[in-house]
Amino acid sequence: VRAGGRGSEVRMSEDSWSAELRQASGVVEAEERSAFMKRAQGGDEASRAANERLVAWLEGEGAWLSELSGWNQPPHPLALATATVDEYEGESSGRGLLARRGIVQEQELVRLSKRCCLTKAAALRELPAGWVSPETNEYIAIALLLLQERDKGDDSFWAPYIGVLPSTDEVDATFSWDDDDLASLEGSPCLDATRSMRRKLRDEYADVSPPFPFEDWEWAFSVLFSRAIRLGTREDDQFLALVPYVDFINHSPFSSSYVTLSKKDDGFLASLFDPRDDDEVLVFADRSYKKFEQVLISYGPKSNSDLLLLYGFALDRNPFNSVAVKFAPAQDDPLFDAKLRFANAAGRALDGSEAFPLYADRFADEMLQFLRMICLRPDDLPRPDAPSLDRFDFSTFVSIDNELRVLDTIKDACLDALARYDNATALDDVPNSFLTRKQRMARRLVASEKTILQRTVDAADRKSADLAATGRRRS
């Protein structure tokens, strides 16, 4: 969301001297700030009040979120907006954080106490005995904590935060779509992933048997999948957390803003110089931001399929987009047993379950190595009567014929995948204004995946032609 020009309405009705005097006295700045906050808050009165309750609660827990300076505290550079729009995609992106003033690269944006976060440790502390144990999965533990605290209403410590969390429909992750909406994903690997996720959620709900309806369980996981982040400085001490306020920063695949955990030192001397009573979560800017610009963060190098499955949106501009394809040798392959032994030793399967990502601009090295192995023929072996693949280094070129078979296999897999999208093309010619948000996201996902597949077919054709020409020159 971008605001208009600086003080333009004030200057329209006054001469330049008067405007300069108002600017110098701070009147324009005050009016500009007031107008910005109205734009930033947006939404209805209830949404703005919920934002204010969240900010007041976090300030009560030690976070500095004021637009004014404090003792050894600069003004907080951000404002919580009730509604934002992705300026590149033209889609609503819910609540978000906007720059109140210019921000410089590496500037600290937010600092808040870890005790404000919902974590497994908090679940072990707050939930009734027997609900969770140290062995309980983090997602399940936090989901149960979230549901219990929502049931408490205003009596919950986290009530101001829970009051601004989106509904299942507002998140709009595909595992919450109905079957009619899922039909628009026909052919996409996202459809299988969605069905698998739905089964997993149902199975875990049956195993846990929580005292909440399944719809609440689904809501808790839609919140977790779309908002939870991992905190911790080392892999062995990382933990999952819902971080209030911070989790309203929206996604950009081009952002490198980062969240970190500042751990409080223990000991008497440390307490003299570090008066905090808990660890703190900090966010730093990846770049400079102009006043009124939306501050963004990356949710990770995720494909559109992952984004739609977990976060409820897909992007036209996604440098990490990919399509998963699967490969396996024929059961009557004369080298099948040798390939199976080699694959198992490498931790791979040959049952068709091995999936590899296809990207718009490259072939994944692991995929090429796997395909060079399954495309081997007896005449590629030094001793066809004693088939062993141990001498091969599949990270490099095996032979021109083998590489041509690899490219043909990739091309055939892409053409098969493209044919499976036939049922999803009904939306292709419908204007965006006639589509629901789910349909727009599904069309964006399908279109981006088909583009990758077609580009891969074209790339395989070009490489095959180049290799064939090389083979002819050598012969």
Side-chain angles (χ1 to χ4, degrees), residues 318-462:
N318 185 359
F320 304 109
N321 197 21
S322 63
V323 187
V325 290
K326 297 179 180 180
F327 305 96
Q331 292 288 330
D332 59 355
D333 186 332
L335 297 179
F336 184 84
D337 290 340
K339 293 175 181 179
L340 182 61
R341 288 192 298 271
F342 186 89
N344 289 342
R348 292 288 187 182
L350 292 187
D351 58 0
S353 62
E354 290 289 345
F356 297 90
L358 284 177
Y359 300 97
D361 57 351
R362 65 192 184 280
F363 294 149
D365 287 340
E366 283 192 348
M367 181 186 74
L368 289 176
Q369 293 178 41
F370 184 79
L371 289 177
R372 286 167 183 152
M373 184 269 293
I374 68 170
C375 289
L376 276 179
R377 289 181 177 175
D379 56 4
D380 292 318
L381 303 177
R383 289 185 57 196
D385 59 322
S388 173
L389 310 187
D390 293 338
R391 66 169 290 275
F392 284 97
D393 178 7
F394 293 110
S395 65
T396 61
F397 196 83
V398 173
S399 69
I400 289 180
D401 286 343
N402 177 266
E403 204 74 3
L404 287 170
R405 291 193 293 270
V406 166
L407 293 169
D408 284 343
T409 301
I410 293 173
K411 178 180 176 180
D412 290 344
C414 290
L415 292 174
D416 288 344
L418 283 166
R420 289 195 290 272
Y421 287 98
D422 284 349
N423 292 334
T425 59
L427 302 178
D428 284 357
D429 299 323
V430 181
N432 266 347
S433 57
F434 290 93
L435 298 177
T436 65
R437 186 181 186 280
K438 290 182 177 67
Q439 290 172 330
R440 292 196 302 275
M441 292 299 143
R443 182 164 73 176
R444 182 173 291 164
L445 170 68
V446 167
S448 68
E449 290 180 342
K450 289 170 68 176
T451 296
I452 289 175
L453 291 168
Q454 187 57 58
R455 285 183 178 178
T456 303
V457 169
D458 296 340
D461 281 339
R462 289 194 300 272

Side-chain angles (χ1 to χ4, degrees), residues 30-50:
E31 292 177 352
E32 181 186 60
R33 182 168 61 248
S34 175
F36 165 66
M37 290 309 298
K38 288 179 182 178
R39 283 191 296 268
Q41 290 172 351
D44 55 37
E45 188 173 340
S47 297
R48 292 193 295 273

Side-chain angles (χ1 to χ4, degrees), residues 249-355:
I249 304 178
N250 286 315
H251 171 70
S252 167
F254 306 101
S255 174
S256 55
S257 296
Y258 60 97
V259 183
T260 188
L261 186 70
S262 174
K263 298 185 73 66
K264 175 180 169 59
D265 292 330
D266 295 323
F268 174 72
L269 288 178
S271 67
L272 293 178
F273 299 99
D274 186 5
R276 296 176 294 159
D277 58 1
D278 205 350
D279 299 342
E280 290 180 322
V281 180
L282 289 83
V283 183
F284 294 91
D286 63 321
R287 59 175 176 84
S288 60
Y289 286 88
K290 297 177 182 178
K291 194 172 185 177
F292 309 145
E293 192 175 359
Q294 184 175 184
V295 174
L296 301 167
I297 200 166
S298 173
Y299 298 165
K302 299 185 184 299
S303 68
N304 274 349
S305 180
D306 290 338
L307 290 174
L308 195 54
L309 172 67
L310 300 174
Y311 300 88
F313 63 85
L315 302 173
D316 284 326
R317 301 169 70 250
N318 185 359
F320 304 109
N321 197 21
S322 63
V323 187
V325 290
K326 297 179 180 180
F327 305 96
Q331 292 288 330
D332 59 355
D333 186 332
L335 297 179
F336 184 84
D337 290 340
K339 293 175 181 179
L340 182 61
R341 288 192 298 271
F342 186 89
N344 289 342
R348 292 288 187 182
L350 292 187
D351 58 0
S353 62
E354 290 289 345

Side-chain angles (χ1 to χ4, degrees), residues 155-173:
D155 292 334
S156 169
F157 170 70
W158 289 281
Y161 170 59
I162 294 173
V164 294
L165 288 175
S167 66
T168 304
D169 287 341
E170 287 172 327
V171 176
D172 220 13

